[in-house]
């Protein structure tokens, strides 16, 4: 089976992990701060906080920005459920902004319109989470300008987008947001097994996030409410969780990070090949904004129903049968039964639904060989023409 995404683990990665296993610290040692410092450098951002998943990162980002009952969070329906579940963990309300039919990211037009209406009703969101779908950055300068006008906070869900650039800065710099979140799940750009990272320019948010990932505890005397009883002393100041990353995970992530640029280049090479090889097929190919640099986490094509009668399901089943592990990203979040029970229904976000009905994610990862890619294209041709 050729999967849609796949990690690469090198001998160097294995040695980095083994070194931790033989050291004094499996967790809370020097590995996590080292990984954080290296992510901070490539993202050109002062503060990084590592956690055990992007889901955890989104959760504590919402807590740090004081999302709670009575508040509203907006995100894209074309994402993994974690992008919106974080609001529900905080007992806040969630709503979605429909997507742009070309980029498949949150639509700027829809966002502007929804903000105008929300202001009239007094129901503005406290937080908006743009998702850099497939690694293609959202129009962050514009979203940031809207946040200034309407007074909402921004968490970038950059689970797909480490190594990407938006306008003049790396994704993760938080030039246009309060917090950015990365995922290091094995299907993502680089992996730590499981893992996530938060980046921010705010020292205050960084300190809060560090406490939130570890029970709300601090050992920093300057943050304590009273005097330390002694060298053992710590204080719990807020209600936190145990969302810590281990040093074992950090060592793997940090070792993988060295290949980030190589990986992004390799993904662009794969995408360029698809762009050419799929040109004559009845498929809508993904677009990349030349002003940004996509991380190309996914290569999603749409079945062009104006040119073929072959359905997405037929293509999906034929490719799976041929050993090509195609996938679909994403079932619109609002159509999940859990969300329907909250009151969402079919028709609420028509662009996300129309996109979903024809979308199919082709194999896309740095070690996908030319022969494998040719096989994927040949199988597509067989079913489509
Ligand atoms: C993978 C993913 C997440 C969750 O990441 P985990 O590290 O698995 O928790 C969140 N949002 C998006 C868009 C993702 O693709």
């Amino acid at each position: 089976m050729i999967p849609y995404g796949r990690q690469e683990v090198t001998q160097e990665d294995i040695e980095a992990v083994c070194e931790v296993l033989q050291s004094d610290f499996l967790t809370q040692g020097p590995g996590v701060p080292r990984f954080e410092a290296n992510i901070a450098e490539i993202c050109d951002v002062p503060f990084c906080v590592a956690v055990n998943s992007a889901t955890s990162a989104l959760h504590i980002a919402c807590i740090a920005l004081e999302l709670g009952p009575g508040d509203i969070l907006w995100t894209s329906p074309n994402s993994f459920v974690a992008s919106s579940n974080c609001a529900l963990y905080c007992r806040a309300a969630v709503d979605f902004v429909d997507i742009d039919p070309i980029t498949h990211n949150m639509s700027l037009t829809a966002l502007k319109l929804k903000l105008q209406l929300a202001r009239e009703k007094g129901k503005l969101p406290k937080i908006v989470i743009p998702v850099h779908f497939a690694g293609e950055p959202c129009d962050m300068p514009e979203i940031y300008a809207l946040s200034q006008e309407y007074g909402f906070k921004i968490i970038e869900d950059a689970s797909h987008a480490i190594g990407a650039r938006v306008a003049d800065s790396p994704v993760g710099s938080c030039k246009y947001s309060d917090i950015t979140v990365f995922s290091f799940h094995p299907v993502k750009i680089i992996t730590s097994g499981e893992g996530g990272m938060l980046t921010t320019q705010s020292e205050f948010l960084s300190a809060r996030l560090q406490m939130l990932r570890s029970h709300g505890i601090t050992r920093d005397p300057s943050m304590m409410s009273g005097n330390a009883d002694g060298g053992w002393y710590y204080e719990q100041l807020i209600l936190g969780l145990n969302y810590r990353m281990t040093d074992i995970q950090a060592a793997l992530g940090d070792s993988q990070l060295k290949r980030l640029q190589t990986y992004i280049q390799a993904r662009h090479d794969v995408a360029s090949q698809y762009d050419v090889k799929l040109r004559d097929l009845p498929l809508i190919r993904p677009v990349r904004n030349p002003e940004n640099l996509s991380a190309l986490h996914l290569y999603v094509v749409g079945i062009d129903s104006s040119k073929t009668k072959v359905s997405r399901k037929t293509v999906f089943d034929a490719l799976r049968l041929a050993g090509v592990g195609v996938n679909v990203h994403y079932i619109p979040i609002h159509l999940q039964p859990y969300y329907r029970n909250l009151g969402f229904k079919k028709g609420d976000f028509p662009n996300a639904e129309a996109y979903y009905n024809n979308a199919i994610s082709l194999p896309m990862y740095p070690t996908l060989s030319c022969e494998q890619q040719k096989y994927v294209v040949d199988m597509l041709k067989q079913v489509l023409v």
Side-chain angles (χ1 to χ4, degrees):
M1 178 75 94
I2 304 173
Y4 83 88
R6 183 178 163 71
Q7 76 281 7
E8 181 200 38
V9 175
T10 65
Q11 191 55 37
E12 214 182 354
D13 293 344
I14 293 166
E15 280 161 20
V17 170
C18 287
E19 207 172 296
V20 176
L21 291 174
Q22 291 164 321
S23 76
D24 291 338
F25 296 98
L26 299 187
T27 192
Q28 296 179 285
V32 167
R34 191 183 307 134
F35 187 32
E36 288 170 340
N38 288 331
I39 295 273
E41 191 178 329
I42 67 130
C43 288
D44 196 14
V45 73
F47 305 104
C48 278
V49 180
V51 288
N52 57 1
S53 73
T55 304
S56 303
L58 287 163
H59 184 194
I60 60 171
C62 287
I63 302 175
L65 295 172
E66 295 176 14
L67 187 76
D71 293 329
I72 307 169
L73 178 149
W74 291 359
T75 188
S76 168
N78 182 33
S79 187
F80 185 55
V81 292
S83 305
S84 54
N85 283 346
C86 55
L88 305 178
Y89 300 153
C90 296
R91 303 274 172 246
V94 69
D95 202 354
F96 302 93
V97 180
D98 206 356
I99 62 167
D100 179 285
I102 309 287
T103 65
H104 312 135
N105 276 329
M106 180 184 282
S107 154
L108 213 57
T109 322
L111 178 60
K112 281 182 190 160
L113 204 65
K114 201 175 171 90
L115 284 167
Q116 280 167 11
L117 290 172
R119 177 140 72 188
E120 285 163 20
K121 291 187 193 155
K123 287 188 149 188
L124 283 169
K126 184 162 192 173
I127 297 177
V128 173
I129 303 189
V131 181
H132 303 311
F133 177 72
E136 175 70 29
C138 299
D139 190 341
M140 292 313 301
E142 287 283 344
I143 298 173
Y144 178 74
L146 289 170
S147 77
Q148 298 302 297
E149 189 181 343
Y150 289 92
F152 57 84
K153 303 286 185 190
I154 302 176
I155 303 170
E156 293 174 68
D157 185 342
S159 293
H160 299 181
I162 194 165
R165 294 183 67 86
V166 55
D168 50 355
S169 42
V171 167
S173 75
C174 295
K175 184 166 177 190
Y176 306 108
S177 62
D178 297 278
I179 296 172
T180 301
V181 166
F182 295 122
S183 170
F184 305 125
H185 181 278
V187 298
K188 308 293 163 73
I189 308 284
I190 60 165
T191 187
S192 60
E194 295 273 5
M197 187 74 76
L198 304 111
T199 68
T200 181
Q201 292 197 3
S202 157
E203 188 169 8
F204 172 78
L205 286 176
S206 165
R208 268 190 102 76
L209 292 167
Q210 281 180 48
M211 278 198 284
L212 285 165
R213 78 171 160 190
S214 195
H215 310 282
I217 281 170
T218 185
R219 291 177 185 276
D220 178 354
S222 72
M223 296 184 76
M224 290 179 185
S225 61
N227 290 325
D229 293 345
W232 65 88
Y233 191 72
Y234 58 83
E235 280 189 354
Q236 184 192 343
L237 299 175
I238 52 178
L239 185 62
L241 301 118
N242 178 356
Y243 281 173
R244 293 188 305 262
M245 178 182 275
T246 66
D247 278 43
I248 306 167
Q249 293 167 315
L252 178 56
D254 201 33
S255 181
Q256 295 243 323
L257 186 61
K258 298 193 178 99
R259 299 193 297 279
L260 180 62
Q261 297 316 323
T262 324
Y263 280 169
I264 301 292
Q265 184 55 53
R267 287 174 177 276
H268 276 265
D269 293 344
V270 171
S272 309
Q273 287 293 316
Y274 275 137
D275 289 345
V276 175
K277 292 195 160 93
L278 302 177
R279 206 160 38 197
D280 300 324
L281 293 179
L283 294 173
I284 301 158
R285 283 170 283 119
V287 293
R288 297 188 282 286
N289 181 345
E291 281 165 33
N292 296 333
L293 176 72
S294 174
L296 274 166
H297 168 54
L298 300 171
Y299 191 94
V300 181
V301 292
I303 311 296
D304 190 344
S305 48
S306 71
K307 293 190 186 141
T308 179
K309 291 270 174 293
V310 184
S311 75
R312 190 266 308 272
K313 186 169 187 303
T314 303
V315 178
F316 182 94
D317 291 344
L319 267 82
R320 278 282 175 103
L321 201 65
V324 180
V326 285
N327 215 321
V328 172
H329 300 90
Y330 285 97
I331 305 161
I333 300 175
H334 69 283
L335 297 182
Q336 294 291 349
Y338 189 83
Y339 281 81
R340 289 185 194 237
N341 285 339
L342 297 177
F344 294 102
K345 58 186 185 309
K346 213 172 191 147
D348 281 349
F349 305 99
N351 290 350
E353 293 170 26
Y355 156 80
Y356 163 67
N357 288 336
N358 287 322
I360 190 157
S361 303
L362 303 182
M364 164 52 87
Y365 49 93
T367 56
L368 184 71
S369 71
C370 290
E371 296 78 55
Q372 286 172 321
Q373 205 179 0
K374 184 172 179 307
Y375 179 74
V376 173
V377 173
D378 287 346
M379 289 306 111
L380 272 170
K381 277 185 186 150
Q382 248 181 47
V383 59
L384 283 165
V385 292

